[in-house]
Amino acid sequence: MTKIINGKDISTAIRQEIRAEVESLPKRPGLAVVLVGNDPASQVYVRNKERACEEVGFYSEKYTLPEDTTREQLLDLVDQLNESPAIHGILVQLPLPKHLDAEEVILRIDPKKDVDAFHPVNVGKIMIGNFDFLPCTPAGVMELLSRSGIDPAGKECVVIGRSNIVGKPQAMLLLHKNATVTICHSRTKDLAAVCRRADILVSAVGRANFVTADMVKEGAVVIDVGMNRDENGKLVGDVAFAEVSEKTSYITPVPGGVGPMTITMLLKNTVTACRRIENL
Ligand code: NAP
C-alpha cells in the first residue's frame, strides 16, 4: 500500500516550529513582498504569503504597484528595502509585466535578503553546496522526503524538468544528499525508460497526467511538483495519481503535497536571513 505524503500536515508542523523560533528571537524577522500589476494568480500567492507571515509572527510589508510601474520606480523600491533595518527578506513576485526585466530586478536585491534564492550569488552557492538559502520549492521537496524517512543517498533519482526555479536546483539538492541524479527535459529520448529507473521520481513539467503508471518502477517514491488546471478548472499535478499510486511506495497528492511547502520554506529562509543579518 502506498503512503500518501501529507504536505499540509508537514507544512503545519514546520510553521509551528518556525513560530516557536520567532518567539525566541530578540528581533522579529521581516519580509517585504512586492507585487507589480494585476496578475490574478500572483495576487493569490501574495495574499497567501502575507497570511503565512502573520501565522508565524513575522513583521511584513506589502507593496502593490501599478502595472505601469517604471524600471526606476521598482529598482528604487528594491534599494530602499535593501537598506531597511526592519526587512530581512525581499520577495518580488514573478512574473513581472513585460516591460520590466526580472533578471535586472533580481540582481538588484541584496543577496543577503534574497529569500527566494534567485540571485546568481545564491544560485552559485547552491551549486557549491555551501548555501544560506535554499530555493523554496525544491527545499520543500527535500523536507517532504526527510520527514517521511526517505533518504536519497545512493538512490537513482530522476527529475523531469530543468527550470532554474525547480528542476535544476532540485537535482543539485538531491545530489548534495548523495543521490545519483538524472535530469530529463523535452529533448530526452525514451523518457519513460529513464523514469522507470527511478527510486525517487520528481516531476516538474506543468502538464496534467504527464506521468503515467508505465513510467514508474514498482515501489518508487513519486513527488509531483506540477500545478495545472484540468478541463474543469480543478488543480491537478503532473502525475496520473490514481494509476501511479497503485505502484508507488510513497506519493505526494496535488493539492496538499508540494504546494503548501513552498511558502513554508520561504518563511524558513526569512528566519535564516534575520539570524545572519542580526548576528543571532
Ligand atoms: P517550466 O519552466 O515550464 O519548465 C518545465 C520543464 O518541463 C522544462 O524543463 C521542459 O523541458 C520540461 N518539459 C516540458 N515538456 C516536456 C516533455 N514532453 N518531456 C519532458 N520534459 C518536458 O516550469 P517550472 O517553473 O519548472 O514549473 C513546473 C511545474 O511546477 C508547473 O506546473 C508549475 O506550476 C509547478 N510549480 C509548482 C510549485 C509549487 O509550489 N508546488 C512551484 C513552482 C512551480 P525544456 O527545458 O526542454 O523545455
Side-chain angles (χ1 to χ4, degrees), residues 45 137 160-167 184-188 191 203-207 210 224-228 238 258-260 262:
Y45 293 143
T137 301
I160 322 175
R162 56 172 164 181
S163 71
N164 288 331
I165 61 164
V166 189
C184 299
H185 45 78
S186 64
R187 309 282 286 274
T188 298
L191 179 70
S203 182
V205 175
R207 280 171 61 177
F210 184 80
D224 190 351
V225 180
M227 289 201 324
N228 315 296
D238 290 347
V258 176
T262 298

mmCIF file of all heavy atoms in Angstrom, residues 45 137 160-167 184-188 191 203-207 210 224-228 238 258-260 262, ligand 1:
data_model
loop_
_atom_site.group_PDB
_atom_site.id
_atom_site.type_symbol
_atom_site.label_atom_id
_atom_site.label_comp_id
_atom_site.label_asym_id
_atom_site.label_seq_id
_atom_site.Cartn_x
_atom_site.Cartn_y
_atom_site.Cartn_z
ATOM 1 N N TYR A 45 -0.996 34.343 -4.633
ATOM 2 C CA TYR A 45 0.264 33.933 -3.989
ATOM 3 C C TYR A 45 0.682 34.956 -2.935
ATOM 4 O O TYR A 45 1.105 34.601 -1.834
ATOM 5 C CB TYR A 45 1.400 33.799 -5.014
ATOM 6 C CG TYR A 45 1.209 32.674 -6.009
ATOM 7 C CD1 TYR A 45 1.599 32.828 -7.334
ATOM 8 C CD2 TYR A 45 0.668 31.452 -5.626
ATOM 9 C CE1 TYR A 45 1.422 31.806 -8.268
ATOM 10 C CE2 TYR A 45 0.491 30.441 -6.543
ATOM 11 C CZ TYR A 45 0.866 30.619 -7.856
ATOM 12 O OH TYR A 45 0.697 29.611 -8.769
ATOM 13 N N THR A 137 10.795 25.760 -3.540
ATOM 14 C CA THR A 137 10.058 24.543 -3.926
ATOM 15 C C THR A 137 10.936 23.289 -3.813
ATOM 16 O O THR A 137 10.525 22.312 -3.168
ATOM 17 C CB THR A 137 9.447 24.708 -5.340
ATOM 18 O OG1 THR A 137 8.575 25.842 -5.304
ATOM 19 C CG2 THR A 137 8.672 23.486 -5.763
ATOM 20 N N ILE A 160 12.196 15.334 -13.701
ATOM 21 C CA ILE A 160 11.704 15.733 -15.027
ATOM 22 C C ILE A 160 11.470 17.243 -14.974
ATOM 23 O O ILE A 160 10.665 17.720 -14.174
ATOM 24 C CB ILE A 160 10.401 15.033 -15.443
ATOM 25 C CG1 ILE A 160 10.361 13.580 -14.993
ATOM 26 C CG2 ILE A 160 10.222 15.117 -16.957
ATOM 27 C CD1 ILE A 160 9.017 12.891 -15.286
ATOM 28 N N GLY A 161 12.204 17.973 -15.804
ATOM 29 C CA GLY A 161 12.138 19.450 -15.814
ATOM 30 C C GLY A 161 13.504 20.016 -15.447
ATOM 31 O O GLY A 161 14.187 19.479 -14.566
ATOM 32 N N ARG A 162 13.885 21.087 -16.142
ATOM 33 C CA ARG A 162 15.214 21.682 -15.902
ATOM 34 C C ARG A 162 15.119 23.195 -15.751
ATOM 35 O O ARG A 162 15.996 23.935 -16.203
ATOM 36 C CB ARG A 162 16.156 21.322 -17.049
ATOM 37 C CG ARG A 162 15.634 21.739 -18.412
ATOM 38 C CD ARG A 162 16.666 21.543 -19.497
ATOM 39 N NE ARG A 162 16.056 21.591 -20.809
ATOM 40 C CZ ARG A 162 16.710 21.436 -21.951
ATOM 41 N NH1 ARG A 162 17.997 21.212 -21.931
ATOM 42 N NH2 ARG A 162 16.085 21.493 -23.101
ATOM 43 N N SER A 163 14.014 23.672 -15.163
ATOM 44 C CA SER A 163 13.890 25.126 -14.983
ATOM 45 C C SER A 163 14.843 25.580 -13.887
ATOM 46 O O SER A 163 15.307 24.780 -13.054
ATOM 47 C CB SER A 163 12.453 25.499 -14.615
ATOM 48 O OG SER A 163 12.166 25.082 -13.296
ATOM 49 N N ASN A 164 15.121 26.887 -13.908
ATOM 50 C CA ASN A 164 16.038 27.434 -12.901
ATOM 51 C C ASN A 164 15.418 27.464 -11.509
ATOM 52 O O ASN A 164 16.142 27.499 -10.514
ATOM 53 C CB ASN A 164 16.450 28.858 -13.287
ATOM 54 C CG ASN A 164 17.394 28.836 -14.468
ATOM 55 O OD1 ASN A 164 18.136 27.865 -14.665
ATOM 56 N ND2 ASN A 164 17.372 29.888 -15.261
ATOM 57 N N ILE A 165 14.074 27.483 -11.444
ATOM 58 C CA ILE A 165 13.474 27.572 -10.103
ATOM 59 C C ILE A 165 13.115 26.214 -9.513
ATOM 60 O O ILE A 165 12.992 26.085 -8.303
ATOM 61 C CB ILE A 165 12.253 28.527 -10.047
ATOM 62 C CG1 ILE A 165 11.128 28.058 -10.959
ATOM 63 C CG2 ILE A 165 12.636 29.951 -10.364
ATOM 64 C CD1 ILE A 165 9.803 28.744 -10.612
ATOM 65 N N VAL A 166 12.943 25.203 -10.358
ATOM 66 C CA VAL A 166 12.589 23.891 -9.792
ATOM 67 C C VAL A 166 13.596 22.798 -10.224
ATOM 68 O O VAL A 166 14.374 22.308 -9.407
ATOM 69 C CB VAL A 166 11.152 23.445 -10.167
ATOM 70 C CG1 VAL A 166 10.800 22.190 -9.360
ATOM 71 C CG2 VAL A 166 10.123 24.525 -9.907
ATOM 72 N N GLY A 167 13.565 22.423 -11.497
ATOM 73 C CA GLY A 167 14.301 21.227 -11.928
ATOM 74 C C GLY A 167 15.784 21.239 -11.589
ATOM 75 O O GLY A 167 16.297 20.318 -10.932
ATOM 76 N N CYS A 184 15.786 15.138 -16.749
ATOM 77 C CA CYS A 184 15.134 14.955 -18.045
ATOM 78 C C CYS A 184 14.445 16.241 -18.481
ATOM 79 O O CYS A 184 14.112 17.080 -17.647
ATOM 80 C CB CYS A 184 14.077 13.860 -17.962
ATOM 81 S SG CYS A 184 14.751 12.267 -17.524
ATOM 82 N N HIS A 185 14.222 16.356 -19.777
ATOM 83 C CA HIS A 185 13.579 17.552 -20.329
ATOM 84 C C HIS A 185 12.906 17.180 -21.637
ATOM 85 O O HIS A 185 12.838 15.982 -21.982
ATOM 86 C CB HIS A 185 14.625 18.661 -20.494
ATOM 87 C CG HIS A 185 15.884 18.187 -21.111
ATOM 88 N ND1 HIS A 185 15.996 17.960 -22.453
ATOM 89 C CD2 HIS A 185 17.056 17.794 -20.542
ATOM 90 C CE1 HIS A 185 17.205 17.501 -22.708
ATOM 91 N NE2 HIS A 185 17.870 17.378 -21.568
ATOM 92 N N SER A 186 12.468 18.192 -22.383
ATOM 93 C CA SER A 186 11.652 17.901 -23.577
ATOM 94 C C SER A 186 12.456 17.209 -24.681
ATOM 95 O O SER A 186 11.875 16.660 -25.609
ATOM 96 C CB SER A 186 11.025 19.184 -24.109
ATOM 97 O OG SER A 186 12.031 20.068 -24.539
ATOM 98 N N ARG A 187 13.779 17.225 -24.594
ATOM 99 C CA ARG A 187 14.591 16.576 -25.634
ATOM 100 C C ARG A 187 15.133 15.221 -25.179
ATOM 101 O O ARG A 187 15.923 14.601 -25.889
ATOM 102 C CB ARG A 187 15.763 17.494 -26.020
ATOM 103 C CG ARG A 187 15.357 18.916 -26.369
ATOM 104 C CD ARG A 187 14.767 19.008 -27.768
ATOM 105 N NE ARG A 187 15.774 18.888 -28.786
ATOM 106 C CZ ARG A 187 16.505 19.901 -29.271
ATOM 107 N NH1 ARG A 187 16.313 21.117 -28.798
ATOM 108 N NH2 ARG A 187 17.405 19.705 -30.188
ATOM 109 N N THR A 188 14.720 14.776 -24.010
ATOM 110 C CA THR A 188 15.185 13.468 -23.517
ATOM 111 C C THR A 188 14.604 12.355 -24.390
ATOM 112 O O THR A 188 13.411 12.364 -24.696
ATOM 113 C CB THR A 188 14.727 13.269 -22.051
ATOM 114 O OG1 THR A 188 15.339 14.282 -21.263
ATOM 115 C CG2 THR A 188 15.095 11.899 -21.511
ATOM 116 N N LEU A 191 11.915 8.901 -22.518
ATOM 117 C CA LEU A 191 11.700 9.415 -21.153
ATOM 118 C C LEU A 191 11.146 8.321 -20.218
ATOM 119 O O LEU A 191 11.597 8.191 -19.079
ATOM 120 C CB LEU A 191 10.721 10.597 -21.233
ATOM 121 C CG LEU A 191 10.358 11.254 -19.920
ATOM 122 C CD1 LEU A 191 11.544 12.028 -19.360
ATOM 123 C CD2 LEU A 191 9.169 12.195 -20.088
ATOM 124 N N SER A 203 8.560 15.096 -10.595
ATOM 125 C CA SER A 203 8.063 15.663 -11.853
ATOM 126 C C SER A 203 7.764 17.144 -11.696
ATOM 127 O O SER A 203 6.972 17.548 -10.841
ATOM 128 C CB SER A 203 6.797 14.927 -12.307
ATOM 129 O OG SER A 203 6.377 15.488 -13.547
ATOM 130 N N ALA A 204 8.407 17.961 -12.544
ATOM 131 C CA ALA A 204 8.178 19.415 -12.558
ATOM 132 C C ALA A 204 8.066 19.851 -14.005
ATOM 133 O O ALA A 204 8.944 20.515 -14.545
ATOM 134 C CB ALA A 204 9.306 20.146 -11.844
ATOM 135 N N VAL A 205 6.989 19.431 -14.641
ATOM 136 C CA VAL A 205 6.797 19.661 -16.075
ATOM 137 C C VAL A 205 5.732 20.725 -16.324
ATOM 138 O O VAL A 205 5.928 21.653 -17.111
ATOM 139 C CB VAL A 205 6.407 18.335 -16.786
ATOM 140 C CG1 VAL A 205 6.074 18.581 -18.248
ATOM 141 C CG2 VAL A 205 7.525 17.316 -16.666
ATOM 142 N N GLY A 206 4.588 20.571 -15.649
ATOM 143 C CA GLY A 206 3.494 21.521 -15.875
ATOM 144 C C GLY A 206 2.497 21.006 -16.893
ATOM 145 O O GLY A 206 1.916 21.782 -17.640
ATOM 146 N N ARG A 207 2.288 19.660 -16.893
ATOM 147 C CA ARG A 207 1.263 19.082 -17.779
ATOM 148 C C ARG A 207 0.499 18.002 -17.032
ATOM 149 O O ARG A 207 1.103 17.065 -16.493
ATOM 150 C CB ARG A 207 1.931 18.469 -19.014
ATOM 151 C CG ARG A 207 2.284 19.552 -20.036
ATOM 152 C CD ARG A 207 3.128 19.037 -21.153
ATOM 153 N NE ARG A 207 2.482 17.993 -21.928
ATOM 154 C CZ ARG A 207 3.046 17.436 -23.002
ATOM 155 N NH1 ARG A 207 4.257 17.811 -23.397
ATOM 156 N NH2 ARG A 207 2.418 16.494 -23.665
ATOM 157 N N PHE A 210 0.812 13.736 -17.084
ATOM 158 C CA PHE A 210 2.037 13.525 -17.859
ATOM 159 C C PHE A 210 2.751 12.238 -17.428
ATOM 160 O O PHE A 210 3.255 11.471 -18.245
ATOM 161 C CB PHE A 210 2.959 14.734 -17.684
ATOM 162 C CG PHE A 210 4.190 14.659 -18.522
ATOM 163 C CD1 PHE A 210 4.145 15.001 -19.861
ATOM 164 C CD2 PHE A 210 5.392 14.237 -17.978
ATOM 165 C CE1 PHE A 210 5.283 14.914 -20.651
ATOM 166 C CE2 PHE A 210 6.529 14.147 -18.754
ATOM 167 C CZ PHE A 210 6.479 14.496 -20.104
ATOM 168 N N ASP A 224 5.243 14.998 -6.927
ATOM 169 C CA ASP A 224 4.575 15.747 -8.007
ATOM 170 C C ASP A 224 4.626 17.245 -7.713
ATOM 171 O O ASP A 224 3.909 17.741 -6.842
ATOM 172 C CB ASP A 224 3.119 15.261 -8.082
ATOM 173 C CG ASP A 224 2.396 15.769 -9.312
ATOM 174 O OD1 ASP A 224 2.952 16.626 -10.028
ATOM 175 O OD2 ASP A 224 1.272 15.296 -9.559
ATOM 176 N N VAL A 225 5.495 17.941 -8.441
ATOM 177 C CA VAL A 225 5.621 19.394 -8.238
ATOM 178 C C VAL A 225 4.611 20.165 -9.102
ATOM 179 O O VAL A 225 4.268 21.300 -8.815
ATOM 180 C CB VAL A 225 7.065 19.868 -8.559
ATOM 181 C CG1 VAL A 225 7.215 21.366 -8.362
ATOM 182 C CG2 VAL A 225 8.080 19.124 -7.698
ATOM 183 N N GLY A 226 4.115 19.528 -10.124
ATOM 184 C CA GLY A 226 3.244 20.200 -11.094
ATOM 185 C C GLY A 226 2.013 20.829 -10.482
ATOM 186 O O GLY A 226 1.443 20.305 -9.512
ATOM 187 N N MET A 227 1.640 21.968 -11.029
ATOM 188 C CA MET A 227 0.380 22.617 -10.626
ATOM 189 C C MET A 227 -0.319 23.027 -11.910
ATOM 190 O O MET A 227 0.108 23.975 -12.572
ATOM 191 C CB MET A 227 0.655 23.853 -9.765
ATOM 192 C CG MET A 227 1.170 23.494 -8.377
ATOM 193 S SD MET A 227 0.970 24.762 -7.128
ATOM 194 C CE MET A 227 1.231 26.234 -8.003
ATOM 195 N N ASN A 228 -1.338 22.287 -12.259
ATOM 196 C CA ASN A 228 -2.026 22.519 -13.532
ATOM 197 C C ASN A 228 -3.526 22.569 -13.284
ATOM 198 O O ASN A 228 -4.003 22.095 -12.259
ATOM 199 C CB ASN A 228 -1.726 21.359 -14.494
ATOM 200 C CG ASN A 228 -0.258 20.982 -14.496
ATOM 201 O OD1 ASN A 228 0.579 21.783 -14.886
ATOM 202 N ND2 ASN A 228 0.078 19.780 -14.030
ATOM 203 N N ASP A 238 1.196 16.786 -12.201
ATOM 204 C CA ASP A 238 1.677 16.189 -13.455
ATOM 205 C C ASP A 238 1.375 14.692 -13.507
ATOM 206 O O ASP A 238 1.473 14.077 -14.558
ATOM 207 C CB ASP A 238 3.209 16.296 -13.545
ATOM 208 C CG ASP A 238 3.694 17.717 -13.756
ATOM 209 O OD1 ASP A 238 2.880 18.592 -14.082
ATOM 210 O OD2 ASP A 238 4.918 17.935 -13.591
ATOM 211 N N VAL A 258 3.374 19.071 -2.458
ATOM 212 C CA VAL A 258 4.497 20.024 -2.509
ATOM 213 C C VAL A 258 4.004 21.467 -2.304
ATOM 214 O O VAL A 258 4.677 22.273 -1.651
ATOM 215 C CB VAL A 258 5.236 19.908 -3.863
ATOM 216 C CG1 VAL A 258 6.346 20.939 -3.979
ATOM 217 C CG2 VAL A 258 5.802 18.500 -4.040
ATOM 218 N N GLY A 259 2.827 21.772 -2.856
ATOM 219 C CA GLY A 259 2.310 23.148 -2.835
ATOM 220 C C GLY A 259 2.425 23.861 -1.491
ATOM 221 O O GLY A 259 3.042 24.931 -1.424
ATOM 222 N N PRO A 260 1.880 23.297 -0.413
ATOM 223 C CA PRO A 260 1.925 24.008 0.878
ATOM 224 C C PRO A 260 3.343 24.228 1.409
ATOM 225 O O PRO A 260 3.554 25.073 2.280
ATOM 226 C CB PRO A 260 1.154 23.075 1.829
ATOM 227 C CG PRO A 260 0.414 22.129 0.964
ATOM 228 C CD PRO A 260 1.137 22.035 -0.333
ATOM 229 N N THR A 262 6.070 25.280 -0.254
ATOM 230 C CA THR A 262 6.889 26.324 -0.869
ATOM 231 C C THR A 262 6.928 27.589 -0.005
ATOM 232 O O THR A 262 8.010 28.116 0.294
ATOM 233 C CB THR A 262 6.369 26.617 -2.295
ATOM 234 O OG1 THR A 262 6.509 25.414 -3.052
ATOM 235 C CG2 THR A 262 7.166 27.706 -2.984
HETATM 236 P P1 NAP B 1 8.922 25.375 -16.764
HETATM 237 O O1 NAP B 1 9.904 26.465 -16.577
HETATM 238 O O2 NAP B 1 7.862 25.495 -17.798
HETATM 239 O O3 NAP B 1 9.735 24.014 -17.003
HETATM 240 C C1 NAP B 1 9.099 22.844 -17.414
HETATM 241 C C2 NAP B 1 10.135 21.792 -17.720
HETATM 242 O O4 NAP B 1 9.448 20.638 -18.186
HETATM 243 C C3 NAP B 1 11.115 22.217 -18.814
HETATM 244 O O5 NAP B 1 12.434 21.936 -18.416
HETATM 245 C C4 NAP B 1 10.688 21.385 -20.015
HETATM 246 O O6 NAP B 1 11.756 20.975 -20.830
HETATM 247 C C5 NAP B 1 10.102 20.165 -19.336
HETATM 248 N N1 NAP B 1 9.162 19.516 -20.255
HETATM 249 C C6 NAP B 1 8.132 20.072 -20.934
HETATM 250 N N2 NAP B 1 7.555 19.173 -21.734
HETATM 251 C C7 NAP B 1 8.241 18.023 -21.577
HETATM 252 C C8 NAP B 1 8.153 16.740 -22.155
HETATM 253 N N3 NAP B 1 7.224 16.439 -23.073
HETATM 254 N N4 NAP B 1 9.035 15.803 -21.766
HETATM 255 C C9 NAP B 1 9.970 16.067 -20.847
HETATM 256 N N5 NAP B 1 10.116 17.268 -20.268
HETATM 257 C C10 NAP B 1 9.267 18.245 -20.631
HETATM 258 O O7 NAP B 1 8.122 25.084 -15.421
HETATM 259 P P2 NAP B 1 8.555 25.242 -13.853
HETATM 260 O O8 NAP B 1 8.518 26.660 -13.474
HETATM 261 O O9 NAP B 1 9.771 24.432 -13.576
HETATM 262 O O10 NAP B 1 7.297 24.525 -13.189
HETATM 263 C C11 NAP B 1 6.962 23.188 -13.452
HETATM 264 C C12 NAP B 1 5.630 22.843 -12.815
HETATM 265 O O11 NAP B 1 5.761 23.007 -11.413
HETATM 266 C C13 NAP B 1 4.482 23.781 -13.208
HETATM 267 O O12 NAP B 1 3.269 23.034 -13.209
HETATM 268 C C14 NAP B 1 4.435 24.786 -12.100
HETATM 269 O O13 NAP B 1 3.143 25.360 -11.932
HETATM 270 C C15 NAP B 1 4.789 23.909 -10.932
HETATM 271 N N6 NAP B 1 5.384 24.645 -9.783
HETATM 272 C C16 NAP B 1 4.863 24.347 -8.569
HETATM 273 C C17 NAP B 1 5.371 24.971 -7.463
HETATM 274 C C18 NAP B 1 4.803 24.627 -6.131
HETATM 275 O O14 NAP B 1 4.903 25.404 -5.213
HETATM 276 N N7 NAP B 1 4.242 23.436 -5.982
HETATM 277 C C19 NAP B 1 6.396 25.925 -7.579
HETATM 278 C C20 NAP B 1 6.924 26.180 -8.845
HETATM 279 C C21 NAP B 1 6.409 25.517 -9.952
HETATM 280 P P3 NAP B 1 12.625 22.006 -21.744
HETATM 281 O O15 NAP B 1 13.543 22.700 -20.769
HETATM 282 O O16 NAP B 1 13.345 21.140 -22.688
HETATM 283 O O17 NAP B 1 11.632 22.939 -22.387
#
